[in-house]
Short mmCIF file of all heavy atoms in Angstrom, two decimals:
data_model
loop_
_atom_site.label_atom_id
_atom_site.label_comp_id
_atom_site.label_asym_id
_atom_site.label_seq_id
_atom_site.Cartn_x
_atom_site.Cartn_y
_atom_site.Cartn_z
N ARG A 16 -158.33 -34.07 241.45
CA ARG A 16 -157.05 -34.01 240.85
C ARG A 16 -156.11 -35.11 241.46
O ARG A 16 -156.05 -35.27 242.61
CB ARG A 16 -156.49 -32.61 241.11
CG ARG A 16 -155.29 -32.31 240.25
CD ARG A 16 -154.88 -30.89 240.52
NE ARG A 16 -153.77 -30.99 241.45
CZ ARG A 16 -153.10 -29.99 241.96
NH1 ARG A 16 -153.43 -28.81 241.63
NH2 ARG A 16 -152.10 -30.20 242.73
N VAL A 17 -155.41 -35.78 240.57
CA VAL A 17 -154.57 -36.85 241.05
C VAL A 17 -153.13 -36.30 241.21
O VAL A 17 -152.66 -35.49 240.41
CB VAL A 17 -154.54 -37.97 239.93
CG1 VAL A 17 -153.58 -39.06 240.33
CG2 VAL A 17 -155.93 -38.52 239.70
N CYS A 18 -152.49 -36.78 242.24
CA CYS A 18 -151.07 -36.33 242.59
C CYS A 18 -150.12 -36.98 241.51
O CYS A 18 -150.11 -38.23 241.33
CB CYS A 18 -150.70 -36.76 243.92
SG CYS A 18 -149.00 -36.37 244.32
N PRO A 19 -149.36 -36.09 240.80
CA PRO A 19 -148.47 -36.64 239.77
C PRO A 19 -147.31 -37.42 240.31
O PRO A 19 -146.59 -38.10 239.58
CB PRO A 19 -148.06 -35.43 238.98
CG PRO A 19 -148.18 -34.30 239.95
CD PRO A 19 -149.29 -34.68 240.86
N TYR A 20 -147.00 -37.30 241.64
CA TYR A 20 -145.83 -37.94 242.23
C TYR A 20 -146.12 -39.23 242.88
O TYR A 20 -145.18 -39.95 243.23
CB TYR A 20 -145.21 -36.98 243.23
CG TYR A 20 -144.98 -35.60 242.69
CD1 TYR A 20 -145.77 -34.55 243.15
CD2 TYR A 20 -144.12 -35.36 241.65
CE1 TYR A 20 -145.59 -33.24 242.66
CE2 TYR A 20 -143.97 -34.10 241.11
CZ TYR A 20 -144.70 -33.05 241.64
OH TYR A 20 -144.51 -31.78 241.11
N ARG A 21 -147.37 -39.62 243.01
CA ARG A 21 -147.77 -40.88 243.64
C ARG A 21 -147.62 -42.05 242.67
O ARG A 21 -147.94 -41.90 241.49
CB ARG A 21 -149.21 -40.75 244.14
CG ARG A 21 -149.69 -41.97 244.80
CD ARG A 21 -151.12 -41.80 245.24
NE ARG A 21 -151.75 -43.09 245.24
CZ ARG A 21 -152.81 -43.39 244.63
NH1 ARG A 21 -153.44 -42.52 243.93
NH2 ARG A 21 -153.31 -44.59 244.64
N GLU A 22 -147.11 -43.20 243.20
CA GLU A 22 -147.11 -44.40 242.41
C GLU A 22 -148.47 -44.81 242.00
O GLU A 22 -149.35 -44.98 242.95
CB GLU A 22 -146.39 -45.51 243.18
CG GLU A 22 -146.24 -46.80 242.45
CD GLU A 22 -145.37 -46.76 241.22
OE1 GLU A 22 -144.38 -46.01 241.28
OE2 GLU A 22 -145.65 -47.48 240.28
N PRO A 23 -148.82 -44.95 240.73
CA PRO A 23 -150.16 -45.30 240.34
C PRO A 23 -150.59 -46.62 241.01
O PRO A 23 -149.79 -47.56 241.10
CB PRO A 23 -150.05 -45.47 238.84
CG PRO A 23 -148.83 -44.64 238.47
CD PRO A 23 -147.90 -44.75 239.63
N GLU A 24 -151.83 -46.68 241.41
CA GLU A 24 -152.47 -47.89 241.93
C GLU A 24 -151.90 -48.24 243.33
O GLU A 24 -152.20 -49.34 243.87
CB GLU A 24 -152.34 -49.08 241.02
CG GLU A 24 -152.88 -48.84 239.58
CD GLU A 24 -154.40 -48.44 239.59
OE1 GLU A 24 -155.09 -48.99 240.39
OE2 GLU A 24 -154.67 -47.56 238.75
N SER A 25 -151.08 -47.44 243.95
CA SER A 25 -150.57 -47.71 245.23
C SER A 25 -151.61 -47.19 246.30
O SER A 25 -152.29 -46.25 246.07
CB SER A 25 -149.24 -47.05 245.49
OG SER A 25 -149.35 -45.67 245.48
N PRO A 26 -151.69 -47.89 247.47
CA PRO A 26 -152.64 -47.46 248.48
C PRO A 26 -152.20 -46.16 249.16
O PRO A 26 -150.99 -45.89 249.23
CB PRO A 26 -152.69 -48.60 249.48
CG PRO A 26 -151.31 -49.24 249.29
CD PRO A 26 -150.94 -49.04 247.78
N VAL A 27 -153.14 -45.43 249.61
CA VAL A 27 -152.92 -44.21 250.47
C VAL A 27 -153.51 -44.49 251.79
O VAL A 27 -154.69 -44.84 251.90
CB VAL A 27 -153.50 -42.95 249.80
CG1 VAL A 27 -153.30 -41.75 250.73
CG2 VAL A 27 -152.91 -42.74 248.42
N VAL A 28 -152.72 -44.37 252.85
CA VAL A 28 -153.20 -44.64 254.20
C VAL A 28 -153.04 -43.31 255.03
O VAL A 28 -152.00 -42.72 255.04
CB VAL A 28 -152.38 -45.73 254.88
CG1 VAL A 28 -152.85 -45.92 256.33
CG2 VAL A 28 -152.47 -47.03 254.10
N VAL A 29 -154.15 -42.88 255.67
CA VAL A 29 -154.11 -41.68 256.47
C VAL A 29 -154.33 -42.12 257.92
O VAL A 29 -155.25 -42.80 258.25
CB VAL A 29 -155.20 -40.66 256.06
CG1 VAL A 29 -155.18 -39.49 256.95
CG2 VAL A 29 -155.09 -40.25 254.62
N ILE A 30 -153.37 -41.76 258.79
CA ILE A 30 -153.42 -42.05 260.19
C ILE A 30 -153.67 -40.73 260.95
O ILE A 30 -152.94 -39.77 260.74
CB ILE A 30 -152.11 -42.71 260.59
CG1 ILE A 30 -151.86 -43.97 259.80
CG2 ILE A 30 -152.11 -43.03 262.12
CD1 ILE A 30 -150.46 -44.50 259.84
N VAL A 31 -154.74 -40.79 261.83
CA VAL A 31 -155.02 -39.58 262.55
C VAL A 31 -154.81 -39.83 264.05
O VAL A 31 -155.33 -40.86 264.59
CB VAL A 31 -156.54 -39.21 262.30
CG1 VAL A 31 -156.91 -37.95 263.07
CG2 VAL A 31 -156.81 -39.09 260.82
N LEU A 32 -154.04 -39.01 264.68
CA LEU A 32 -153.80 -39.11 266.10
C LEU A 32 -154.14 -37.83 266.82
O LEU A 32 -153.90 -36.75 266.38
CB LEU A 32 -152.30 -39.32 266.32
CG LEU A 32 -151.64 -40.51 265.62
CD1 LEU A 32 -150.10 -40.45 265.64
CD2 LEU A 32 -152.14 -41.78 266.29
N GLY A 33 -154.91 -38.00 267.97
CA GLY A 33 -155.26 -36.91 268.82
C GLY A 33 -154.08 -36.58 269.71
O GLY A 33 -153.62 -37.42 270.46
N LYS A 34 -153.63 -35.35 269.68
CA LYS A 34 -152.51 -34.90 270.57
C LYS A 34 -153.07 -33.80 271.45
O LYS A 34 -154.07 -33.15 271.09
CB LYS A 34 -151.37 -34.41 269.73
CG LYS A 34 -150.71 -35.40 268.82
CD LYS A 34 -149.93 -36.45 269.60
CE LYS A 34 -149.20 -37.38 268.68
NZ LYS A 34 -148.37 -38.29 269.42
N PRO A 35 -152.40 -33.45 272.57
CA PRO A 35 -152.90 -32.43 273.44
C PRO A 35 -152.90 -31.01 272.72
O PRO A 35 -153.78 -30.19 273.07
CB PRO A 35 -151.82 -32.39 274.54
CG PRO A 35 -151.21 -33.73 274.63
CD PRO A 35 -151.25 -34.20 273.13
N TRP A 36 -152.04 -30.78 271.77
CA TRP A 36 -151.99 -29.57 271.04
C TRP A 36 -152.78 -29.50 269.77
O TRP A 36 -152.92 -28.46 269.14
CB TRP A 36 -150.53 -29.21 270.74
CG TRP A 36 -149.85 -30.19 269.94
CD1 TRP A 36 -149.87 -30.35 268.54
CD2 TRP A 36 -149.12 -31.36 270.37
NE1 TRP A 36 -149.18 -31.44 268.14
CE2 TRP A 36 -148.68 -32.09 269.26
CE3 TRP A 36 -148.77 -31.81 271.65
CZ2 TRP A 36 -147.93 -33.21 269.35
CZ3 TRP A 36 -147.97 -32.93 271.72
CH2 TRP A 36 -147.58 -33.66 270.58
N GLY A 37 -153.39 -30.60 269.35
CA GLY A 37 -154.20 -30.66 268.16
C GLY A 37 -154.24 -32.02 267.57
O GLY A 37 -153.79 -33.02 268.15
N THR A 38 -154.70 -32.13 266.32
CA THR A 38 -154.77 -33.36 265.59
C THR A 38 -153.54 -33.48 264.71
O THR A 38 -153.15 -32.60 264.02
CB THR A 38 -156.04 -33.38 264.71
OG1 THR A 38 -157.19 -33.14 265.58
CG2 THR A 38 -156.22 -34.75 264.07
N HIS A 39 -152.94 -34.69 264.77
CA HIS A 39 -151.74 -35.00 264.00
C HIS A 39 -152.10 -35.98 262.90
O HIS A 39 -152.68 -37.05 263.18
CB HIS A 39 -150.65 -35.59 264.97
CG HIS A 39 -149.38 -35.94 264.26
ND1 HIS A 39 -148.39 -35.07 264.12
CD2 HIS A 39 -148.95 -37.11 263.73
CE1 HIS A 39 -147.34 -35.64 263.54
NE2 HIS A 39 -147.70 -36.91 263.25
N TYR A 40 -151.83 -35.57 261.66
CA TYR A 40 -152.12 -36.47 260.50
C TYR A 40 -150.86 -37.05 259.96
O TYR A 40 -149.90 -36.29 259.75
CB TYR A 40 -152.84 -35.68 259.43
CG TYR A 40 -154.17 -35.11 259.82
CD1 TYR A 40 -154.30 -33.82 260.42
CD2 TYR A 40 -155.33 -35.88 259.70
CE1 TYR A 40 -155.53 -33.39 260.77
CE2 TYR A 40 -156.59 -35.36 260.04
CZ TYR A 40 -156.67 -34.09 260.60
OH TYR A 40 -157.85 -33.64 261.03
N ARG A 41 -150.84 -38.31 259.63
CA ARG A 41 -149.71 -38.95 258.94
C ARG A 41 -150.28 -39.59 257.70
O ARG A 41 -151.33 -40.29 257.71
CB ARG A 41 -149.10 -40.02 259.84
CG ARG A 41 -148.37 -39.40 261.03
CD ARG A 41 -147.53 -40.44 261.73
NE ARG A 41 -146.44 -40.88 260.88
CZ ARG A 41 -145.73 -42.00 261.08
NH1 ARG A 41 -145.98 -42.71 262.15
NH2 ARG A 41 -144.79 -42.33 260.27
N VAL A 42 -149.60 -39.40 256.61
CA VAL A 42 -150.02 -39.98 255.35
C VAL A 42 -148.93 -40.90 254.84
O VAL A 42 -147.78 -40.56 254.77
CB VAL A 42 -150.33 -38.87 254.29
CG1 VAL A 42 -150.75 -39.47 252.97
CG2 VAL A 42 -151.36 -37.90 254.82
N LYS A 43 -149.33 -42.17 254.54
CA LYS A 43 -148.43 -43.12 253.97
C LYS A 43 -148.80 -43.37 252.55
O LYS A 43 -149.95 -43.78 252.22
CB LYS A 43 -148.50 -44.41 254.77
CG LYS A 43 -147.96 -44.24 256.18
CD LYS A 43 -147.76 -45.56 256.81
CE LYS A 43 -147.14 -45.36 258.17
NZ LYS A 43 -146.51 -46.56 258.69
N VAL A 44 -147.86 -43.12 251.63
CA VAL A 44 -148.09 -43.28 250.22
C VAL A 44 -146.77 -43.54 249.50
O VAL A 44 -145.75 -43.11 249.97
CB VAL A 44 -148.78 -41.95 249.62
CG1 VAL A 44 -147.89 -40.73 249.82
CG2 VAL A 44 -149.19 -42.14 248.20
N TYR A 45 -146.81 -44.26 248.47
CA TYR A 45 -145.61 -44.61 247.70
C TYR A 45 -145.36 -43.57 246.62
O TYR A 45 -146.26 -43.25 245.85
CB TYR A 45 -145.71 -45.99 247.09
CG TYR A 45 -145.66 -47.12 248.11
CD1 TYR A 45 -146.84 -47.63 248.55
CD2 TYR A 45 -144.44 -47.53 248.61
CE1 TYR A 45 -146.83 -48.64 249.50
CE2 TYR A 45 -144.43 -48.57 249.58
CZ TYR A 45 -145.61 -49.10 250.00
OH TYR A 45 -145.59 -50.07 250.94
N VAL A 46 -144.11 -43.12 246.54
CA VAL A 46 -143.76 -42.10 245.53
C VAL A 46 -143.36 -42.83 244.24
O VAL A 46 -142.85 -43.95 244.26
CB VAL A 46 -142.56 -41.27 246.03
CG1 VAL A 46 -141.30 -42.08 246.25
CG2 VAL A 46 -142.29 -40.08 245.21
N HIS A 47 -143.69 -42.18 243.14
CA HIS A 47 -143.48 -42.77 241.84
C HIS A 47 -141.91 -42.92 241.58
O HIS A 47 -141.51 -43.95 241.12
CB HIS A 47 -144.13 -41.94 240.74
CG HIS A 47 -143.96 -42.49 239.37
ND1 HIS A 47 -144.51 -43.67 238.98
CD2 HIS A 47 -143.31 -41.97 238.28
CE1 HIS A 47 -144.19 -43.87 237.72
NE2 HIS A 47 -143.47 -42.88 237.27
N GLU A 48 -141.19 -41.86 241.82
CA GLU A 48 -139.75 -41.90 241.66
C GLU A 48 -139.11 -41.37 242.92
O GLU A 48 -139.59 -40.34 243.49
CB GLU A 48 -139.28 -40.96 240.48
CG GLU A 48 -139.93 -41.39 239.17
CD GLU A 48 -138.86 -41.84 238.20
OE1 GLU A 48 -137.67 -41.72 238.51
OE2 GLU A 48 -139.23 -42.26 237.10
N SER A 49 -138.09 -41.96 243.43
CA SER A 49 -137.54 -41.50 244.71
C SER A 49 -137.07 -40.09 244.69
O SER A 49 -137.11 -39.39 245.72
CB SER A 49 -136.38 -42.47 245.12
OG SER A 49 -135.35 -42.44 244.19
N ARG A 50 -136.62 -39.58 243.53
CA ARG A 50 -136.16 -38.22 243.41
C ARG A 50 -137.34 -37.22 243.60
O ARG A 50 -137.10 -36.03 243.83
CB ARG A 50 -135.49 -37.96 242.08
CG ARG A 50 -136.39 -38.09 240.93
CD ARG A 50 -135.65 -37.85 239.62
NE ARG A 50 -136.58 -37.98 238.54
CZ ARG A 50 -136.26 -38.47 237.35
NH1 ARG A 50 -135.01 -38.84 237.12
NH2 ARG A 50 -137.15 -38.58 236.41
N GLU A 51 -138.53 -37.65 243.56
CA GLU A 51 -139.73 -36.83 243.69
C GLU A 51 -140.31 -36.87 245.14
O GLU A 51 -141.39 -36.34 245.34
CB GLU A 51 -140.82 -37.25 242.69
CG GLU A 51 -140.37 -37.10 241.28
CD GLU A 51 -141.34 -37.67 240.28
OE1 GLU A 51 -142.15 -38.55 240.62
OE2 GLU A 51 -141.33 -37.22 239.10
N GLN A 52 -139.59 -37.49 246.01
CA GLN A 52 -140.08 -37.65 247.39
C GLN A 52 -140.50 -36.31 248.03
O GLN A 52 -141.56 -36.22 248.59
CB GLN A 52 -139.01 -38.33 248.23
CG GLN A 52 -139.42 -38.46 249.74
CD GLN A 52 -138.28 -39.10 250.54
OE1 GLN A 52 -137.42 -39.72 249.98
NE2 GLN A 52 -138.33 -38.97 251.79
N PHE A 53 -139.69 -35.33 247.99
CA PHE A 53 -140.01 -34.09 248.59
C PHE A 53 -141.07 -33.28 247.90
O PHE A 53 -141.80 -32.59 248.51
CB PHE A 53 -138.71 -33.21 248.78
CG PHE A 53 -137.73 -33.90 249.74
CD1 PHE A 53 -136.56 -34.50 249.20
CD2 PHE A 53 -137.96 -33.97 251.05
CE1 PHE A 53 -135.69 -35.21 250.03
CE2 PHE A 53 -137.10 -34.62 251.93
CZ PHE A 53 -135.99 -35.26 251.39
N LEU A 54 -141.14 -33.49 246.57
CA LEU A 54 -142.25 -32.87 245.85
C LEU A 54 -143.56 -33.50 246.27
O LEU A 54 -144.62 -32.83 246.44
CB LEU A 54 -142.05 -33.04 244.32
CG LEU A 54 -140.86 -32.25 243.72
CD1 LEU A 54 -140.63 -32.72 242.32
CD2 LEU A 54 -141.07 -30.79 243.80
N LEU A 55 -143.60 -34.84 246.46
CA LEU A 55 -144.78 -35.51 246.93
C LEU A 55 -145.19 -35.01 248.32
O LEU A 55 -146.35 -34.73 248.58
CB LEU A 55 -144.54 -37.07 247.01
CG LEU A 55 -145.69 -37.84 247.60
CD1 LEU A 55 -146.89 -37.88 246.70
CD2 LEU A 55 -145.17 -39.29 247.79
N MET A 56 -144.21 -34.89 249.21
CA MET A 56 -144.51 -34.44 250.58
C MET A 56 -145.09 -33.05 250.55
O MET A 56 -146.10 -32.74 251.23
CB MET A 56 -143.29 -34.44 251.43
CG MET A 56 -142.77 -35.87 251.73
SD MET A 56 -141.09 -35.97 252.40
CE MET A 56 -141.06 -34.71 253.67
N SER A 57 -144.55 -32.15 249.73
CA SER A 57 -145.05 -30.80 249.62
C SER A 57 -146.46 -30.83 249.05
O SER A 57 -147.37 -30.08 249.53
CB SER A 57 -144.18 -29.91 248.76
OG SER A 57 -142.89 -29.84 249.32
N ASP A 58 -146.75 -31.55 247.99
CA ASP A 58 -147.98 -31.66 247.37
C ASP A 58 -149.10 -32.14 248.37
O ASP A 58 -150.17 -31.59 248.45
CB ASP A 58 -147.91 -32.61 246.15
CG ASP A 58 -149.22 -32.66 245.36
OD1 ASP A 58 -149.57 -31.60 244.82
OD2 ASP A 58 -149.87 -33.68 245.33
N ILE A 59 -148.75 -33.16 249.14
CA ILE A 59 -149.70 -33.72 250.10
C ILE A 59 -149.99 -32.68 251.24
O ILE A 59 -151.14 -32.45 251.64
CB ILE A 59 -149.16 -34.99 250.79
CG1 ILE A 59 -149.25 -36.11 249.74
CG2 ILE A 59 -149.93 -35.39 251.97
CD1 ILE A 59 -148.52 -37.42 250.15
N MET A 60 -148.97 -31.90 251.65
CA MET A 60 -149.13 -30.89 252.67
C MET A 60 -150.12 -29.81 252.18
O MET A 60 -150.97 -29.36 252.88
CB MET A 60 -147.75 -30.31 253.06
CG MET A 60 -147.86 -29.25 254.12
SD MET A 60 -148.46 -29.95 255.63
CE MET A 60 -148.50 -28.44 256.60
N VAL A 61 -149.80 -29.34 250.97
CA VAL A 61 -150.70 -28.28 250.41
C VAL A 61 -152.13 -28.79 250.23
O VAL A 61 -153.11 -28.08 250.57
CB VAL A 61 -150.13 -27.77 249.06
CG1 VAL A 61 -151.09 -26.88 248.33
CG2 VAL A 61 -148.82 -27.04 249.29
N ARG A 62 -152.34 -29.97 249.69
CA ARG A 62 -153.65 -30.51 249.44
C ARG A 62 -154.40 -30.70 250.76
O ARG A 62 -155.58 -30.40 250.89
CB ARG A 62 -153.60 -31.83 248.79
CG ARG A 62 -153.17 -31.76 247.31
CD ARG A 62 -152.95 -33.19 246.80
NE ARG A 62 -152.43 -33.18 245.46
CZ ARG A 62 -153.16 -33.43 244.38
NH1 ARG A 62 -154.43 -33.71 244.44
NH2 ARG A 62 -152.58 -33.44 243.24
N GLY A 63 -153.65 -31.21 251.81
CA GLY A 63 -154.31 -31.42 253.09
C GLY A 63 -154.71 -30.10 253.74
O GLY A 63 -155.79 -29.97 254.29
N THR A 64 -153.85 -29.08 253.67
CA THR A 64 -154.17 -27.76 254.20
C THR A 64 -155.41 -27.16 253.51
O THR A 64 -156.30 -26.66 254.19
CB THR A 64 -152.97 -26.86 254.07
OG1 THR A 64 -151.82 -27.39 254.74
CG2 THR A 64 -153.21 -25.46 254.64
N VAL A 65 -155.43 -27.26 252.20
CA VAL A 65 -156.61 -26.70 251.47
C VAL A 65 -157.87 -27.46 251.88
O VAL A 65 -158.94 -26.85 252.09
CB VAL A 65 -156.29 -26.84 249.95
CG1 VAL A 65 -157.60 -26.49 249.16
CG2 VAL A 65 -155.17 -25.85 249.56
N ALA A 66 -157.78 -28.78 252.02
CA ALA A 66 -158.97 -29.54 252.34
C ALA A 66 -159.50 -29.23 253.71
O ALA A 66 -160.70 -29.06 253.94
CB ALA A 66 -158.68 -31.04 252.21
N ILE A 67 -158.61 -29.14 254.65
CA ILE A 67 -158.98 -28.81 256.03
C ILE A 67 -159.60 -27.42 256.11
O ILE A 67 -160.65 -27.18 256.75
CB ILE A 67 -157.75 -28.94 257.01
CG1 ILE A 67 -157.49 -30.46 257.15
CG2 ILE A 67 -158.12 -28.35 258.34
CD1 ILE A 67 -156.18 -30.75 257.80
N ARG A 68 -159.00 -26.46 255.48
CA ARG A 68 -159.50 -25.04 255.47
C ARG A 68 -160.88 -24.97 254.79
O ARG A 68 -161.75 -24.21 255.16
CB ARG A 68 -158.55 -24.07 254.85
CG ARG A 68 -157.41 -23.85 255.78
CD ARG A 68 -156.52 -22.70 255.33
NE ARG A 68 -155.53 -22.41 256.37
CZ ARG A 68 -154.33 -21.88 256.07
NH1 ARG A 68 -154.01 -21.65 254.81
NH2 ARG A 68 -153.47 -21.66 257.04
N SER A 69 -161.06 -25.80 253.74
CA SER A 69 -162.31 -25.73 252.99
C SER A 69 -163.49 -26.25 253.85
O SER A 69 -164.63 -25.92 253.57
CB SER A 69 -162.27 -26.50 251.69
OG SER A 69 -162.22 -27.90 251.99
N LEU A 70 -163.14 -26.99 254.89
CA LEU A 70 -164.19 -27.46 255.83
C LEU A 70 -164.47 -26.50 256.96
O LEU A 70 -165.29 -26.76 257.84
CB LEU A 70 -163.74 -28.83 256.42
CG LEU A 70 -163.59 -30.00 255.47
CD1 LEU A 70 -162.99 -31.18 256.11
CD2 LEU A 70 -165.00 -30.38 254.88
N GLY A 71 -163.75 -25.38 256.92
CA GLY A 71 -163.96 -24.35 257.93
C GLY A 71 -163.24 -24.67 259.27
O GLY A 71 -163.54 -24.07 260.30
N ILE A 72 -162.31 -25.57 259.20
CA ILE A 72 -161.56 -25.98 260.45
C ILE A 72 -160.35 -25.04 260.65
O ILE A 72 -159.65 -24.82 259.68
CB ILE A 72 -161.10 -27.41 260.38
CG1 ILE A 72 -162.34 -28.35 260.26
CG2 ILE A 72 -160.27 -27.82 261.57
CD1 ILE A 72 -161.98 -29.79 259.93
N ARG A 73 -160.22 -24.54 261.85
CA ARG A 73 -159.02 -23.69 262.11
C ARG A 73 -157.89 -24.52 262.64
O ARG A 73 -158.10 -25.46 263.39
CB ARG A 73 -159.45 -22.63 263.13
CG ARG A 73 -160.46 -21.66 262.60
CD ARG A 73 -160.82 -20.55 263.52
NE ARG A 73 -160.80 -21.12 264.93
CZ ARG A 73 -161.05 -20.36 265.98
NH1 ARG A 73 -161.25 -19.15 265.89
NH2 ARG A 73 -161.00 -20.90 267.22
N PHE A 74 -156.70 -24.14 262.30
CA PHE A 74 -155.50 -24.84 262.79
C PHE A 74 -155.19 -24.37 264.23
O PHE A 74 -155.47 -23.24 264.59
CB PHE A 74 -154.35 -24.57 261.89
CG PHE A 74 -154.42 -25.22 260.59
CD1 PHE A 74 -155.02 -24.60 259.51
CD2 PHE A 74 -153.97 -26.56 260.44
CE1 PHE A 74 -155.15 -25.26 258.29
CE2 PHE A 74 -154.08 -27.21 259.21
CZ PHE A 74 -154.63 -26.56 258.15
N ALA A 75 -154.65 -25.26 265.02
CA ALA A 75 -154.23 -24.98 266.39
C ALA A 75 -153.13 -23.96 266.31
O ALA A 75 -152.22 -24.01 265.51
CB ALA A 75 -153.83 -26.17 267.19
N LEU A 76 -153.12 -23.03 267.30
CA LEU A 76 -152.05 -22.06 267.40
C LEU A 76 -151.35 -22.28 268.71
O LEU A 76 -151.94 -22.24 269.77
CB LEU A 76 -152.56 -20.60 267.33
CG LEU A 76 -153.28 -20.22 266.06
CD1 LEU A 76 -153.88 -18.85 266.16
CD2 LEU A 76 -152.33 -20.25 264.88
N ALA A 77 -150.08 -22.61 268.72
CA ALA A 77 -149.32 -22.84 269.87
C ALA A 77 -148.60 -21.54 270.31
O ALA A 77 -148.11 -20.89 269.47
CB ALA A 77 -148.26 -23.97 269.60
N PRO A 78 -148.65 -21.28 271.61
CA PRO A 78 -147.91 -20.11 272.08
C PRO A 78 -146.43 -20.33 271.85
O PRO A 78 -145.89 -21.38 271.89
CB PRO A 78 -148.25 -20.00 273.52
CG PRO A 78 -148.67 -21.44 273.90
CD PRO A 78 -149.24 -22.08 272.68
N TYR A 79 -145.77 -19.26 271.66
CA TYR A 79 -144.28 -19.28 271.47
C TYR A 79 -143.57 -18.40 272.50
O TYR A 79 -144.18 -17.46 273.05
CB TYR A 79 -143.86 -18.90 270.07
CG TYR A 79 -144.24 -17.47 269.68
CD1 TYR A 79 -143.32 -16.48 269.89
CD2 TYR A 79 -145.51 -17.19 269.15
CE1 TYR A 79 -143.67 -15.11 269.50
CE2 TYR A 79 -145.84 -15.90 268.82
CZ TYR A 79 -144.96 -14.91 269.04
OH TYR A 79 -145.28 -13.61 268.73
N ALA A 80 -142.40 -18.71 272.76
CA ALA A 80 -141.66 -17.91 273.74
C ALA A 80 -141.03 -16.68 273.07
O ALA A 80 -140.40 -16.86 272.04
CB ALA A 80 -140.51 -18.80 274.41
N ALA A 81 -141.20 -15.55 273.65
CA ALA A 81 -140.56 -14.35 273.16
C ALA A 81 -139.07 -14.38 273.57
O ALA A 81 -138.77 -14.70 274.68
CB ALA A 81 -141.24 -13.12 273.70
N THR A 82 -138.20 -13.88 272.69
CA THR A 82 -136.82 -13.82 273.02
C THR A 82 -136.39 -12.40 273.23
O THR A 82 -136.96 -11.43 272.83
CB THR A 82 -135.95 -14.46 271.92
OG1 THR A 82 -136.21 -13.83 270.72
CG2 THR A 82 -136.24 -15.94 271.84
#
């Protein structure tokens, strides 16, 4: 499925960084219309989460401070 918010024919760059708390992914992509920027970000986040979970990879869980 193609993202409807991405500028057609624009490159998509995925940058992966290892961090002490887990893997950090950055995605660079051009949005079709600037007003759709946040829709594009949400779409990429959902697609990435689904793709990672479909591979059976669990997300890191960070401890939190109780108040």
Side-chain angles (χ1 to χ4, degrees):
R16 192 178 98 179
V17 177
C18 178
Y20 309 112
R21 182 180 149 236
E22 179 66 33
E24 307 301 321
S25 66
V27 176
V28 178
V29 179
I30 300 163
V31 182
L32 302 167
K34 299 287 186 175
W36 58 86
T38 306
H39 181 87
Y40 297 91
R41 292 189 65 196
V42 180
K43 294 190 175 201
V44 62
Y45 290 97
V46 67
H47 182 65
E48 301 244 355
S49 59
R50 66 180 179 212
E51 298 173 336
Q52 175 181 342
F53 296 104
L54 293 170
L55 174 69
M56 290 168 46
S57 297
D58 186 64
I59 289 172
M60 180 65 183
V61 170
R62 289 171 187 259
T64 301
V65 169
I67 290 170
R68 286 193 174 148
S69 72
L70 296 171
I72 299 171
R73 295 182 323 180
F74 289 92
L76 298 175
Y79 61 93
T82 57

